[in-house]
């Protein structure tokens, strides 16, 4: 029962897009202080910009992770825009709740790294919210290093 990555179809993207939008908007509210409406608007705008042709968008690797015929999750990686840019970028990696804790995210990243190496891409990067300690631990164990850090502090209004 080996995990494999297959190209995502437009139908699969349509099905997976709504949970992606909802989850990312919730993270923007929780971690960036946006209102729910502003977060949803920003999410919609970013997805339109990053995936203008949906699953057929050039320089976007949208892959579905499967074990046998069961979909266990998916990964979205953007390829470098030019020869000057050396980094591919993980925009999203998701393991469906019923399949978590089995190493599927690790395997999806390893498989996408192999695909990127075959394309001559020398580096893979991502953002992770600081409260996502499970993901941070996974990324560190896979050799990702902190290259930038964003910090924030909430300021309470005077009483």
């Amino acid at each position: 029962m080996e995990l494999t990555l297959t190209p995502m179809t437009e139908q699969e993207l349509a099905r997976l897009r709504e949970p992606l939008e909802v989850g990312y908007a919730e993270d923007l509210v929780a971690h960036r202080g946006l209102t729910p409406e502003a977060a949803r608007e920003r999410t919609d705008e970013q997805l339109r910009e990053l995936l203008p042709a949906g699953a057929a968008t050039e320089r976007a690797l949208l892959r579905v992770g499967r074990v046998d015929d069961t979909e266990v999750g998916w990964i979205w990686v953007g390829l470098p825009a030019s020869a000057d840019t050396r980094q591919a970028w993980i925009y999203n990696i998701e393991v469906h709740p019923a399949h978590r804790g089995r190493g599927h995210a690790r395997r999806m990243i390893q498989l996408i790294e192999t695909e990127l190496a075959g394309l001559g891409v020398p580096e893979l990067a991502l953002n992770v919210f600081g409260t996502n300690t499970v993901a941070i631990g996974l990324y560190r164990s896979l050799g990702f290093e902190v290259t930038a850090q964003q910090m924030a502090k909430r300021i309470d209004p005077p009483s």
Side-chain angles (χ1 to χ4, degrees):
M1 296 199 322
E2 176 69 19
L3 186 137
T4 59
L5 292 180
T6 58
M8 185 180 290
T9 66
E10 196 62 46
Q11 294 78 17
E12 289 167 330
L13 177 59
R15 178 175 46 80
L16 296 168
R17 186 176 177 136
E18 178 66 20
L20 169 66
E21 290 177 8
V22 169
Y24 186 59
E26 287 172 354
D27 283 338
L28 290 175
V29 169
H31 301 289
R32 301 274 165 85
L34 274 66
T35 65
E37 297 77 22
R40 190 57 189 247
E41 247 179 64
R42 183 169 177 183
T43 299
D44 291 342
E45 178 183 303
Q46 285 182 331
L47 287 174
R48 277 193 309 276
E49 287 175 12
L50 293 169
L51 295 173
T57 299
E58 271 189 64
R59 312 207 68 71
L61 302 178
L62 291 155
R63 303 290 184 259
V64 176
R66 288 190 172 81
V67 174
D68 296 326
D69 290 332
T70 303
E71 179 182 309
V72 299
W74 64 284
I75 187 168
W76 166 21
V77 174
L79 294 173
S82 69
D84 295 337
T85 309
R86 302 170 43 85
Q87 275 184 350
W89 193 265
I90 296 177
Y91 285 105
N92 194 63
I93 182 166
E94 192 81 32
V95 175
H96 302 316
H99 302 283
R100 292 183 181 158
R102 300 179 195 172
H104 296 319
R106 173 179 302 281
R107 189 67 185 133
M108 284 193 286
I109 292 171
Q110 291 168 333
L111 290 170
I112 208 74
E113 285 176 358
T114 299
E115 185 173 352
L116 292 169
L119 295 170
V121 177
E123 191 169 283
L124 181 59
L126 55 83
N127 277 334
V128 61
F129 289 110
T131 56
N132 193 343
T133 56
V134 171
I136 291 169
L138 169 65
Y139 301 142
R140 284 189 175 139
S141 75
L142 284 165
F144 286 82
E145 299 173 350
V146 175
T147 58
Q149 198 163 8
Q150 180 180 8
M151 299 175 81
K153 178 183 178 184
R154 297 217 188 265
I155 299 173
D156 294 326
S159 308

mmCIF file of all heavy atoms in Angstrom, residues 10 13 17-18 20-21 24 37-58 60 62 76 91:
data_model
loop_
_atom_site.group_PDB
_atom_site.id
_atom_site.type_symbol
_atom_site.label_atom_id
_atom_site.label_comp_id
_atom_site.label_asym_id
_atom_site.label_seq_id
_atom_site.Cartn_x
_atom_site.Cartn_y
_atom_site.Cartn_z
ATOM 1 N N GLU A 10 -9.632 18.758 -12.907
ATOM 2 C CA GLU A 10 -10.423 19.958 -12.632
ATOM 3 C C GLU A 10 -11.565 19.643 -11.658
ATOM 4 O O GLU A 10 -11.886 20.442 -10.783
ATOM 5 C CB GLU A 10 -10.972 20.532 -13.941
ATOM 6 C CG GLU A 10 -11.459 21.952 -13.821
ATOM 7 C CD GLU A 10 -10.355 22.934 -13.431
ATOM 8 O OE1 GLU A 10 -9.257 22.883 -14.005
ATOM 9 O OE2 GLU A 10 -10.615 23.767 -12.530
ATOM 10 N N LEU A 13 -10.117 19.444 -8.173
ATOM 11 C CA LEU A 13 -9.829 20.786 -7.661
ATOM 12 C C LEU A 13 -11.107 21.483 -7.234
ATOM 13 O O LEU A 13 -11.152 22.111 -6.177
ATOM 14 C CB LEU A 13 -9.086 21.621 -8.709
ATOM 15 C CG LEU A 13 -8.788 23.068 -8.299
ATOM 16 C CD1 LEU A 13 -7.943 23.124 -7.030
ATOM 17 C CD2 LEU A 13 -8.101 23.810 -9.444
ATOM 18 N N ARG A 17 -11.371 22.728 -3.479
ATOM 19 C CA ARG A 17 -11.143 24.169 -3.371
ATOM 20 C C ARG A 17 -11.916 24.813 -2.224
ATOM 21 O O ARG A 17 -11.382 25.655 -1.501
ATOM 22 C CB ARG A 17 -11.491 24.834 -4.699
ATOM 23 C CG ARG A 17 -11.149 26.296 -4.726
ATOM 24 C CD ARG A 17 -11.423 26.880 -6.092
ATOM 25 N NE ARG A 17 -11.159 28.299 -6.060
ATOM 26 C CZ ARG A 17 -10.508 28.947 -6.998
ATOM 27 N NH1 ARG A 17 -10.065 28.300 -8.048
ATOM 28 N NH2 ARG A 17 -10.318 30.235 -6.901
ATOM 29 N N GLU A 18 -13.170 24.449 -2.047
ATOM 30 C CA GLU A 18 -13.988 25.067 -0.991
ATOM 31 C C GLU A 18 -13.384 24.839 0.398
ATOM 32 O O GLU A 18 -13.228 25.799 1.155
ATOM 33 C CB GLU A 18 -15.427 24.571 -1.055
ATOM 34 C CG GLU A 18 -16.327 25.142 0.035
ATOM 35 C CD GLU A 18 -16.561 26.651 -0.077
ATOM 36 O OE1 GLU A 18 -16.365 27.224 -1.162
ATOM 37 O OE2 GLU A 18 -16.941 27.256 0.947
ATOM 38 N N LEU A 20 -10.327 24.307 1.111
ATOM 39 C CA LEU A 20 -9.085 25.085 1.124
ATOM 40 C C LEU A 20 -9.391 26.544 1.422
ATOM 41 O O LEU A 20 -8.747 27.165 2.276
ATOM 42 C CB LEU A 20 -8.362 24.962 -0.218
ATOM 43 C CG LEU A 20 -7.189 25.921 -0.451
ATOM 44 C CD1 LEU A 20 -6.052 25.627 0.514
ATOM 45 C CD2 LEU A 20 -6.718 25.836 -1.886
ATOM 46 N N GLU A 21 -10.370 27.106 0.726
ATOM 47 C CA GLU A 21 -10.737 28.509 0.922
ATOM 48 C C GLU A 21 -11.204 28.764 2.344
ATOM 49 O O GLU A 21 -10.789 29.741 2.973
ATOM 50 C CB GLU A 21 -11.823 28.912 -0.072
ATOM 51 C CG GLU A 21 -11.340 29.006 -1.500
ATOM 52 C CD GLU A 21 -12.446 29.348 -2.483
ATOM 53 O OE1 GLU A 21 -13.583 29.660 -2.055
ATOM 54 O OE2 GLU A 21 -12.173 29.308 -3.690
ATOM 55 N N TYR A 24 -8.139 28.386 4.850
ATOM 56 C CA TYR A 24 -7.170 29.471 4.751
ATOM 57 C C TYR A 24 -7.766 30.766 5.287
ATOM 58 O O TYR A 24 -7.096 31.516 6.013
ATOM 59 C CB TYR A 24 -6.696 29.646 3.305
ATOM 60 C CG TYR A 24 -5.587 30.665 3.176
ATOM 61 C CD1 TYR A 24 -4.381 30.513 3.865
ATOM 62 C CD2 TYR A 24 -5.740 31.794 2.378
ATOM 63 C CE1 TYR A 24 -3.368 31.443 3.757
ATOM 64 C CE2 TYR A 24 -4.726 32.727 2.263
ATOM 65 C CZ TYR A 24 -3.543 32.555 2.955
ATOM 66 O OH TYR A 24 -2.539 33.490 2.848
ATOM 67 N N GLU A 37 -14.944 38.450 6.432
ATOM 68 C CA GLU A 37 -15.253 38.893 5.072
ATOM 69 C C GLU A 37 -13.967 39.246 4.319
ATOM 70 O O GLU A 37 -13.783 38.858 3.164
ATOM 71 C CB GLU A 37 -16.197 40.104 5.098
ATOM 72 C CG GLU A 37 -17.551 39.822 5.703
ATOM 73 C CD GLU A 37 -17.535 39.761 7.244
ATOM 74 O OE1 GLU A 37 -16.611 40.318 7.894
ATOM 75 O OE2 GLU A 37 -18.451 39.125 7.791
ATOM 76 N N ALA A 38 -13.068 39.993 4.967
ATOM 77 C CA ALA A 38 -11.806 40.381 4.331
ATOM 78 C C ALA A 38 -10.940 39.155 4.065
ATOM 79 O O ALA A 38 -10.273 39.064 3.032
ATOM 80 C CB ALA A 38 -11.062 41.388 5.196
ATOM 81 N N ALA A 39 -10.959 38.207 4.982
ATOM 82 C CA ALA A 39 -10.161 36.993 4.813
ATOM 83 C C ALA A 39 -10.672 36.182 3.633
ATOM 84 O O ALA A 39 -9.884 35.664 2.834
ATOM 85 C CB ALA A 39 -10.197 36.157 6.096
ATOM 86 N N ARG A 40 -11.977 36.078 3.500
ATOM 87 C CA ARG A 40 -12.539 35.312 2.373
ATOM 88 C C ARG A 40 -12.240 36.008 1.043
ATOM 89 O O ARG A 40 -11.897 35.368 0.059
ATOM 90 C CB ARG A 40 -14.044 35.119 2.584
ATOM 91 C CG ARG A 40 -14.681 34.152 1.623
ATOM 92 C CD ARG A 40 -14.002 32.786 1.698
ATOM 93 N NE ARG A 40 -14.453 31.923 0.647
ATOM 94 C CZ ARG A 40 -15.175 30.824 0.833
ATOM 95 N NH1 ARG A 40 -15.478 30.446 2.052
ATOM 96 N NH2 ARG A 40 -15.531 30.097 -0.185
ATOM 97 N N GLU A 41 -12.332 37.342 1.041
ATOM 98 C CA GLU A 41 -12.013 38.105 -0.161
ATOM 99 C C GLU A 41 -10.553 37.910 -0.563
ATOM 100 O O GLU A 41 -10.246 37.684 -1.729
ATOM 101 C CB GLU A 41 -12.249 39.603 0.106
ATOM 102 C CG GLU A 41 -13.376 40.198 -0.677
ATOM 103 C CD GLU A 41 -13.539 41.670 -0.325
ATOM 104 O OE1 GLU A 41 -12.619 42.476 -0.591
ATOM 105 O OE2 GLU A 41 -14.603 41.998 0.230
ATOM 106 N N ARG A 42 -9.665 38.009 0.418
ATOM 107 C CA ARG A 42 -8.233 37.841 0.133
ATOM 108 C C ARG A 42 -7.944 36.429 -0.370
ATOM 109 O O ARG A 42 -7.161 36.227 -1.291
ATOM 110 C CB ARG A 42 -7.412 38.137 1.382
ATOM 111 C CG ARG A 42 -5.940 38.044 1.134
ATOM 112 C CD ARG A 42 -5.154 38.594 2.270
ATOM 113 N NE ARG A 42 -3.734 38.412 2.019
ATOM 114 C CZ ARG A 42 -2.811 38.748 2.866
ATOM 115 N NH1 ARG A 42 -3.123 39.296 4.014
ATOM 116 N NH2 ARG A 42 -1.551 38.540 2.579
ATOM 117 N N THR A 43 -8.569 35.436 0.235
ATOM 118 C CA THR A 43 -8.390 34.050 -0.188
ATOM 119 C C THR A 43 -8.848 33.861 -1.628
ATOM 120 O O THR A 43 -8.127 33.286 -2.446
ATOM 121 C CB THR A 43 -9.164 33.106 0.758
ATOM 122 O OG1 THR A 43 -8.640 33.251 2.078
ATOM 123 C CG2 THR A 43 -9.055 31.659 0.324
ATOM 124 N N ASP A 44 -10.029 34.353 -1.948
ATOM 125 C CA ASP A 44 -10.564 34.233 -3.309
ATOM 126 C C ASP A 44 -9.636 34.912 -4.311
ATOM 127 O O ASP A 44 -9.333 34.353 -5.374
ATOM 128 C CB ASP A 44 -11.963 34.851 -3.401
ATOM 129 C CG ASP A 44 -13.011 34.066 -2.648
ATOM 130 O OD1 ASP A 44 -12.768 32.876 -2.338
ATOM 131 O OD2 ASP A 44 -14.077 34.637 -2.345
ATOM 132 N N GLU A 45 -9.169 36.112 -3.968
ATOM 133 C CA GLU A 45 -8.278 36.868 -4.844
ATOM 134 C C GLU A 45 -6.966 36.119 -5.081
ATOM 135 O O GLU A 45 -6.502 36.004 -6.214
ATOM 136 C CB GLU A 45 -8.003 38.233 -4.216
ATOM 137 C CG GLU A 45 -7.064 39.112 -4.989
ATOM 138 C CD GLU A 45 -6.796 40.408 -4.239
ATOM 139 O OE1 GLU A 45 -7.770 41.124 -3.931
ATOM 140 O OE2 GLU A 45 -5.614 40.684 -3.949
ATOM 141 N N GLN A 46 -6.374 35.593 -4.025
ATOM 142 C CA GLN A 46 -5.108 34.876 -4.159
ATOM 143 C C GLN A 46 -5.270 33.622 -5.011
ATOM 144 O O GLN A 46 -4.416 33.325 -5.846
ATOM 145 C CB GLN A 46 -4.539 34.528 -2.787
ATOM 146 C CG GLN A 46 -3.948 35.719 -2.082
ATOM 147 C CD GLN A 46 -3.341 35.357 -0.745
ATOM 148 O OE1 GLN A 46 -3.774 34.417 -0.075
ATOM 149 N NE2 GLN A 46 -2.342 36.114 -0.339
ATOM 150 N N LEU A 47 -6.339 32.888 -4.813
ATOM 151 C CA LEU A 47 -6.552 31.680 -5.606
ATOM 152 C C LEU A 47 -6.788 31.999 -7.078
ATOM 153 O O LEU A 47 -6.299 31.285 -7.958
ATOM 154 C CB LEU A 47 -7.692 30.848 -5.034
ATOM 155 C CG LEU A 47 -7.346 30.121 -3.736
ATOM 156 C CD1 LEU A 47 -8.577 29.445 -3.158
ATOM 157 C CD2 LEU A 47 -6.232 29.116 -3.959
ATOM 158 N N ARG A 48 -7.510 33.084 -7.348
ATOM 159 C CA ARG A 48 -7.707 33.498 -8.748
ATOM 160 C C ARG A 48 -6.370 33.850 -9.397
ATOM 161 O O ARG A 48 -6.119 33.500 -10.547
ATOM 162 C CB ARG A 48 -8.664 34.689 -8.840
ATOM 163 C CG ARG A 48 -10.127 34.313 -8.823
ATOM 164 C CD ARG A 48 -11.020 35.481 -9.226
ATOM 165 N NE ARG A 48 -10.759 36.715 -8.509
ATOM 166 C CZ ARG A 48 -11.268 37.029 -7.310
ATOM 167 N NH1 ARG A 48 -12.067 36.181 -6.702
ATOM 168 N NH2 ARG A 48 -10.988 38.176 -6.739
ATOM 169 N N GLU A 49 -5.504 34.539 -8.648
ATOM 170 C CA GLU A 49 -4.192 34.933 -9.177
ATOM 171 C C GLU A 49 -3.274 33.728 -9.357
ATOM 172 O O GLU A 49 -2.556 33.632 -10.351
ATOM 173 C CB GLU A 49 -3.516 35.934 -8.235
ATOM 174 C CG GLU A 49 -4.115 37.310 -8.263
ATOM 175 C CD GLU A 49 -3.496 38.237 -7.232
ATOM 176 O OE1 GLU A 49 -2.452 37.883 -6.638
ATOM 177 O OE2 GLU A 49 -4.056 39.326 -7.015
ATOM 178 N N LEU A 50 -3.269 32.823 -8.388
ATOM 179 C CA LEU A 50 -2.329 31.704 -8.410
ATOM 180 C C LEU A 50 -2.772 30.548 -9.295
ATOM 181 O O LEU A 50 -1.933 29.786 -9.782
ATOM 182 C CB LEU A 50 -2.088 31.198 -6.978
ATOM 183 C CG LEU A 50 -1.349 32.168 -6.063
ATOM 184 C CD1 LEU A 50 -1.414 31.678 -4.619
ATOM 185 C CD2 LEU A 50 0.090 32.349 -6.511
ATOM 186 N N LEU A 51 -4.076 30.395 -9.485
ATOM 187 C CA LEU A 51 -4.600 29.300 -10.305
ATOM 188 C C LEU A 51 -5.568 29.833 -11.364
ATOM 189 O O LEU A 51 -6.738 29.438 -11.414
ATOM 190 C CB LEU A 51 -5.308 28.267 -9.419
ATOM 191 C CG LEU A 51 -4.443 27.515 -8.416
ATOM 192 C CD1 LEU A 51 -5.293 26.650 -7.494
ATOM 193 C CD2 LEU A 51 -3.395 26.674 -9.136
ATOM 194 N N PRO A 52 -5.096 30.721 -12.254
ATOM 195 C CA PRO A 52 -6.015 31.330 -13.225
ATOM 196 C C PRO A 52 -6.644 30.329 -14.185
ATOM 197 O O PRO A 52 -7.751 30.561 -14.676
ATOM 198 C CB PRO A 52 -5.134 32.338 -13.971
ATOM 199 C CG PRO A 52 -3.746 31.823 -13.800
ATOM 200 C CD PRO A 52 -3.723 31.171 -12.440
ATOM 201 N N ALA A 53 -5.973 29.225 -14.441
ATOM 202 C CA ALA A 53 -6.523 28.200 -15.337
ATOM 203 C C ALA A 53 -6.900 26.945 -14.557
ATOM 204 O O ALA A 53 -6.941 25.844 -15.112
ATOM 205 C CB ALA A 53 -5.516 27.872 -16.438
ATOM 206 N N GLY A 54 -7.165 27.104 -13.275
ATOM 207 C CA GLY A 54 -7.546 25.954 -12.453
ATOM 208 C C GLY A 54 -6.460 24.906 -12.416
ATOM 209 O O GLY A 54 -5.269 25.219 -12.304
ATOM 210 N N ALA A 55 -6.852 23.651 -12.534
ATOM 211 C CA ALA A 55 -5.903 22.538 -12.463
ATOM 212 C C ALA A 55 -4.918 22.544 -13.624
ATOM 213 O O ALA A 55 -3.856 21.931 -13.538
ATOM 214 C CB ALA A 55 -6.658 21.211 -12.422
ATOM 215 N N ALA A 56 -5.234 23.267 -14.699
ATOM 216 C CA ALA A 56 -4.354 23.327 -15.868
ATOM 217 C C ALA A 56 -3.386 24.516 -15.817
ATOM 218 O O ALA A 56 -2.698 24.787 -16.794
ATOM 219 C CB ALA A 56 -5.192 23.402 -17.138
ATOM 220 N N THR A 57 -3.327 25.220 -14.692
ATOM 221 C CA THR A 57 -2.453 26.384 -14.570
ATOM 222 C C THR A 57 -0.997 25.987 -14.779
ATOM 223 O O THR A 57 -0.508 25.044 -14.143
ATOM 224 C CB THR A 57 -2.628 27.053 -13.191
ATOM 225 O OG1 THR A 57 -3.982 27.492 -13.058
ATOM 226 C CG2 THR A 57 -1.687 28.235 -13.021
ATOM 227 N N GLU A 58 -0.336 26.715 -15.673
ATOM 228 C CA GLU A 58 1.093 26.486 -15.908
ATOM 229 C C GLU A 58 1.866 26.751 -14.627
ATOM 230 O O GLU A 58 1.523 27.632 -13.860
ATOM 231 C CB GLU A 58 1.610 27.438 -16.989
ATOM 232 C CG GLU A 58 1.488 26.902 -18.389
ATOM 233 C CD GLU A 58 2.214 27.791 -19.371
ATOM 234 O OE1 GLU A 58 3.455 27.913 -19.282
ATOM 235 O OE2 GLU A 58 1.504 28.370 -20.205
ATOM 236 N N ALA A 60 2.024 25.149 -11.964
ATOM 237 C CA ALA A 60 1.378 24.679 -10.738
ATOM 238 C C ALA A 60 1.336 23.158 -10.773
ATOM 239 O O ALA A 60 0.815 22.575 -11.724
ATOM 240 C CB ALA A 60 -0.031 25.246 -10.609
ATOM 241 N N LEU A 62 -0.375 20.360 -9.050
ATOM 242 C CA LEU A 62 -1.481 19.972 -8.176
ATOM 243 C C LEU A 62 -1.545 18.456 -8.229
ATOM 244 O O LEU A 62 -1.803 17.883 -9.286
ATOM 245 C CB LEU A 62 -2.789 20.589 -8.659
ATOM 246 C CG LEU A 62 -2.871 22.101 -8.492
ATOM 247 C CD1 LEU A 62 -3.838 22.706 -9.480
ATOM 248 C CD2 LEU A 62 -3.272 22.441 -7.069
ATOM 249 N N TRP A 76 -0.111 21.061 -3.352
ATOM 250 C CA TRP A 76 -0.060 22.070 -4.404
ATOM 251 C C TRP A 76 1.276 22.781 -4.298
ATOM 252 O O TRP A 76 1.587 23.371 -3.263
ATOM 253 C CB TRP A 76 -1.219 23.018 -4.239
ATOM 254 C CG TRP A 76 -1.167 24.302 -5.028
ATOM 255 C CD1 TRP A 76 -0.439 24.574 -6.151
ATOM 256 C CD2 TRP A 76 -1.905 25.490 -4.740
ATOM 257 N NE1 TRP A 76 -0.674 25.848 -6.583
ATOM 258 C CE2 TRP A 76 -1.578 26.429 -5.723
ATOM 259 C CE3 TRP A 76 -2.805 25.835 -3.747
ATOM 260 C CZ2 TRP A 76 -2.125 27.710 -5.739
ATOM 261 C CZ3 TRP A 76 -3.347 27.105 -3.770
ATOM 262 C CH2 TRP A 76 -3.016 28.031 -4.760
ATOM 263 N N TYR A 91 2.208 25.644 -1.654
ATOM 264 C CA TYR A 91 1.092 26.514 -1.300
ATOM 265 C C TYR A 91 0.137 25.815 -0.350
ATOM 266 O O TYR A 91 -0.491 26.454 0.485
ATOM 267 C CB TYR A 91 0.335 26.966 -2.553
ATOM 268 C CG TYR A 91 1.086 28.014 -3.328
ATOM 269 C CD1 TYR A 91 1.729 27.694 -4.514
ATOM 270 C CD2 TYR A 91 1.161 29.316 -2.870
ATOM 271 C CE1 TYR A 91 2.430 28.650 -5.223
ATOM 272 C CE2 TYR A 91 1.860 30.285 -3.569
ATOM 273 C CZ TYR A 91 2.493 29.941 -4.747
ATOM 274 O OH TYR A 91 3.187 30.892 -5.446
#
